[in-house]
């Protein structure tokens, strides 16, 4: 039965990206009725799920912590594609879209995915156990990146409003990329064991109990299908982007809520992957996914958007408002207190999930 289910899942993850690309070719540049847009939206969601599935296959082949890195980068590519697509479609309304999406990704990963992972891990053995050295380093990197890219623009004076000057934006982009690259070197180099799962005594668990890694051929096929799925995501997002913005406007929600929708769409598959790891008592892998995604969302998205801003019209607003700054500060303090002991119970998981709920509520009702 398990083999049959895996076979069906594989067939689904092969068919959807191919079908999404075919639909993209047929619908590109045309005015579409609502029913066709709904079909494209379903295929877009399916292509996101398929992309992350194939990223997981490649990740399983290369092992941890490389696997979490592959998945985080794949998700970030999707996020950047959606942001740039929407910014091109409506530059006057999307000057703060990159900020809203990146901030939403940070709140969802550092509160939603992290809180859910801790909650599931604690429910399994009463206390979720992880490595505070690796997780603490990842959290410090996330906080630094978020401050450089999202907090500092609020207080600079070179440009009016929460905006970097070109020189400041270039510095933030280079610094973000360099810091992310340094973290990757640490994660995959001499301190690799800091990011591997640990048991209740803190001993590293280097071996996984789940299925054997896929063959090289299967991993290469998944890599190719991952590229196909990413192409489908970029193109289909362009088709449905006016509908997303129209839906937000029809619901009388702030335009910034578009960023929340993008982040939720992109991070949903990764949330499922983190939840599966936590249920297998691999909380460290879940935290790698959560903090790695937050880090990649800033460290890769900001440089990409900085480059794209050369061709995009209008200012690029990156600085957070007062409510967002308060939520980010509270998240940072709470996350530090959660990570330092290397052990967490259901209370810590619940606190982070409440912070996520507060973020979503205040994004809809500022």
């Amino acid at each position: 039965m398990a083999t049959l289910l895996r076979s069906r899942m594989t067939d689904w993850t092969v068919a959807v990206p191919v079908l999404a690309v075919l639909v993209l070719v047929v619908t590109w540049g045309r005015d579409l009725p609502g029913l066709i847009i709904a079909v494209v939206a379903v295929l877009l969601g399916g292509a996101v799920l398929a992309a992350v599935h194939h990223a997981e296959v490649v990740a399983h082949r290369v092992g941890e912590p490389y696997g979490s890195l592959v998945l985080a980068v794949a998700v970030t590519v999707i996020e950047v594609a959606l942001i740039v697509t929407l910014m091109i479609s409506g530059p006057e309304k999307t000057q703060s879209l990159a900020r809203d999406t990146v901030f939403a990704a940070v709140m969802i990963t550092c509160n939603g995915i992290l809180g859910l992972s801790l909650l599931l891990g604690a429910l399994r053995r009463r206390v979720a156990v992880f490595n505070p050295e690796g997780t603490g380093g990842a959290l410090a990197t996330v906080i630094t990146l978020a401050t450089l890219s999202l907090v500092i623009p609020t207080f600079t004076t070179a440009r009016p409003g929460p905006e970097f000057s070109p020189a400041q934006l270039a510095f933030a982009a280079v610094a973000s990329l360099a810091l992310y690259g340094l973290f990757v070197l640490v994660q995959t180099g001499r301190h690799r064991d800091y990011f591997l799962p640990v048991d209740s005594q803190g001993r590293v668990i280097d071996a996984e109990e789940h299925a054997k890694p896929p063959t090289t051929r299967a991993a290469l096929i998944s890599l190719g299908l991952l590229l196909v799925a990413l192409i489908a995501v970029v193109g289909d997002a362009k088709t449905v982007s006016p509908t997303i913005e129209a839906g937000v406007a029809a619901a009388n929600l702030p335009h910034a809520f578009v960023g929340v929708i993008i982040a939720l769409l992109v991070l949903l598959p990764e949330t499922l992957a983190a939840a599966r790891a936590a249920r297998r008592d691999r909380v460290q892998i879940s935290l790698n996914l959560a903090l790695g995604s937050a880090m990649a969302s800033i460290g890769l998205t900001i440089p990409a958007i900085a480059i794209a801003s050369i061709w995009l019209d209008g200012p690029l607003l990156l600085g957070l408002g007062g409510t967002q700054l308060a939520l980010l500060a509270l998240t940072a303090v709470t996350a530090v207190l959660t990570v330092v002991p290397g052990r967490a119970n259901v209370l810590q998981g619940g606190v982070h999930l409440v912070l996520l709920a507060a973020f979503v509520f205040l994004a809809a009702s500022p």
Side-chain angles (χ1 to χ4, degrees), residues 114-352:
L114 187 145
L116 179 62
S117 300
L118 295 179
L119 184 63
L120 292 175
L123 288 175
R124 177 184 173 90
R125 62 154 74 179
R126 291 192 177 183
V127 176
V129 181
F130 49 90
N131 193 325
E133 294 174 303
T135 308
L139 178 62
T141 307
V142 171
I143 294 173
T144 301
L145 288 171
T147 302
L148 284 175
S149 300
L150 302 177
V151 177
I152 298 300
T154 303
F155 302 99
T156 56
T157 58
R159 288 287 182 91
E163 181 186 357
F164 272 144
S165 68
Q168 292 169 338
L169 180 60
F171 172 80
V174 172
S176 298
L177 195 58
L179 191 54
Y180 180 73
L182 178 60
F183 174 81
V184 170
L185 290 177
V186 170
Q187 185 185 36
T188 58
R190 67 173 60 186
H191 298 299
R192 174 177 175 269
D193 56 320
Y194 288 179
F195 302 91
L196 296 176
V198 294
D199 59 18
S200 57
Q201 283 74 44
R203 294 177 301 219
V204 171
I205 304 172
D206 204 355
E208 295 286 348
E209 82 276 7
H210 52 256
K212 294 181 179 180
T215 63
T216 300
R217 179 175 178 274
L220 290 175
I221 291 174
S222 283
L223 180 61
L225 289 170
L226 173 61
L227 296 176
V228 172
L230 293 177
I231 293 172
V233 168
V234 174
D236 290 339
K238 173 66 176 176
T239 302
V240 303
S241 58
T243 304
I244 294 175
E245 294 180 319
V248 169
N252 292 321
L253 295 173
H255 193 270
F257 203 77
V258 174
V260 179
I261 294 175
I262 293 175
L264 288 171
L265 172 65
V266 171
L267 293 171
L268 176 60
E270 195 156 24
T271 302
L272 299 177
R276 288 197 299 268
R279 286 198 300 266
R280 298 198 318 269
D281 203 21
R282 296 296 187 262
V283 175
Q284 184 63 55
I285 295 178
S286 301
L287 300 187
N288 289 347
L289 288 169
L291 297 177
S293 294
M295 203 181 308
S297 180
I298 307 172
L300 299 180
T301 300
I302 296 301
I305 297 301
I307 295 174
S309 66
I310 298 174
W311 296 279
L312 295 175
D313 296 328
L316 180 61
L317 306 181
L318 291 177
L320 298 174
T323 302
Q324 295 170 319
L325 288 172
L327 286 172
L328 181 61
L330 183 57
T331 296
V333 172
T334 304
V336 169
L337 296 175
T338 298
V339 165
V340 167
R343 303 165 67 86
N345 56 34
V346 294
L347 176 60
Q348 283 96 332
V351 168
H352 283 281

Side-chain angles (χ1 to χ4, degrees), residues 46-69:
V48 171
L49 292 171
V52 178
H53 167 78
H54 291 297
E56 285 184 314
V57 173
V58 177
H60 192 188
R61 175 62 185 174
V62 299
E64 287 294 331
Y66 305 98
S68 299
L69 177 63

